[in-house]
Amino acid sequence: MEWFTKLPVVLQALLATLFTYGVTALGAATVFFFKDINRKVLDGMLGFAAGVMIAASFFSLLAPAIEMADAAHARGSGLPSWAAAAIGFLLGGIFLRLTDVLLPHLHQGAGNPEGIKTNWGRSILLVLAITLHNIPEGLAVGVGFGAASIVPGASLAGALSLALGIGLQNFPEGAAVSIPLRRDGMSRSRSFFIGQASGIVEPIAAVVGSALVLSMQAILPYALSFAAGAMIFVVAEELIPEAYSEGNEHIATAGLMFGFALMMMMDVGLG
């Protein structure tokens, strides 16, 4: 891993999110072997993804943001730690909500598209819906690598554990997209294309996030909490409601608990 530590930070973030994208594509590729997926399994997978994202939001993003803001405030600069974290967190949720309102997209299983009206095809709208909710994951990894390079106490291992956790939850997410599309009659290749396309935005968002924090280090606590707020928005707006929609609440909750515990152990153990 010594070669990796010598790479520029932005390139580290890019490579890490190319891994998370690859895991998304790997999950989407299960459509070539399965035409259907048991709804209980799907809801458990969605719950697992939600648990990983909740744990990552706190242990990898919010907690470091609060520590950094507290240290800056103690030096006589910046807002109190609770204010900086709260502002960034809420801005992350507001950003996702505005994007959700403005960007044309179609959620799987929904009858009508959301956002600004457009004549774009169903496949494009489905990709946009899933892509929208992968932006925070890429941002989180990019900001994590940026923090590891400039903040005492932040480690490259912590950033790598965040990327690994995001990658783990991307596998079931990829499968949860492509297999239901196949079940609804779409071809295997097209279902795979849409499933893997959902992860393409993560490397882009990671590069943007890492570049921003390197050029404007003062915004790092806000950037970390912003990514956390955006991820929690996705969990509350999409993952948990979808996982609970078919009456499998207990299975989804078990998946969430396991995902949270796994990400917590990875972050604390490796970071």
Side-chain angles (χ1 to χ4, degrees):
M1 287 298 293
E2 185 177 351
W3 64 271
F4 188 84
T5 62
K6 296 179 180 179
L7 296 175
V9 173
V10 173
L11 184 55
Q12 290 177 350
L14 175 62
L15 291 176
T17 44
L18 284 176
F19 161 75
T20 64
Y21 159 71
V23 179
T24 302
L26 191 63
T30 57
V31 75
F32 292 109
F33 306 98
F34 304 98
K35 185 177 180 179
D36 202 356
I37 183 170
N38 184 278
R39 183 68 207 197
K40 292 181 179 179
V41 173
L42 175 61
D43 290 341
M45 289 161 55
L46 291 171
F48 174 84
V52 168
M53 291 178 71
I54 293 171
S57 296
F58 177 74
F59 292 101
S60 299
L61 299 171
L62 271 179
I66 292 171
E67 290 181 10
M68 293 172 200
D70 192 49
H73 186 63
R75 295 192 300 267
S77 62
L79 297 173
S81 57
W82 58 266
I87 290 171
F89 183 84
L90 293 175
L91 285 176
I94 291 170
F95 170 76
L96 257 291
R97 176 56 184 158
L98 289 175
T99 310
D100 200 43
V101 170
L102 297 175
L103 183 71
H105 63 283
L106 176 66
H107 294 292
Q108 191 170 294
N112 298 314
E114 298 180 19
I116 296 174
K117 292 184 178 181
T118 178
N119 293 324
W120 293 346
R122 175 181 172 86
S123 296
I124 295 176
L125 293 173
L126 283 168
V127 170
L128 287 175
I130 305 156
T131 299
L132 169 65
H133 297 151
N134 278 282
I135 292 174
E137 297 172 11
L139 277 176
V141 175
V143 171
F145 276 94
S149 69
I150 60 179
V151 177
S155 68
L156 182 61
L160 287 170
S161 70
L162 174 60
L164 181 58
I166 295 296
L168 285 175
Q169 64 95 32
N170 275 358
F171 182 86
E173 275 193 351
V177 172
S178 62
I179 293 179
L181 290 176
R182 173 60 180 161
R183 182 188 59 212
D184 292 341
M186 192 173 288
S187 68
R188 282 188 172 91
S189 59
R190 196 165 185 80
S191 299
F192 168 74
F193 173 78
I194 292 177
Q196 63 82 32
S198 67
I200 290 177
V201 72
E202 289 187 7
I204 300 171
V207 168
V208 172
S210 58
L212 277 176
V213 298
L214 287 176
S215 60
M216 296 181 286
Q217 297 183 20
I219 71 167
L220 186 51
Y222 299 93
L224 286 166
S225 52
F226 179 95
M231 288 176 67
I232 293 297
F233 180 92
V234 172
V235 170
E237 180 81 1
E238 295 296 331
L239 293 182
I240 291 178
E242 176 65 20
Y244 280 28
S245 64
E246 297 293 327
N248 298 316
E249 295 92 345
H250 298 306
I251 295 173
T253 300
L256 187 151
M257 297 292 288
F258 179 72
F260 185 97
L262 180 63
M263 185 64 211
M264 177 180 65
M265 290 187 292
M266 287 175 50
D267 189 271
V268 175
L270 299 178

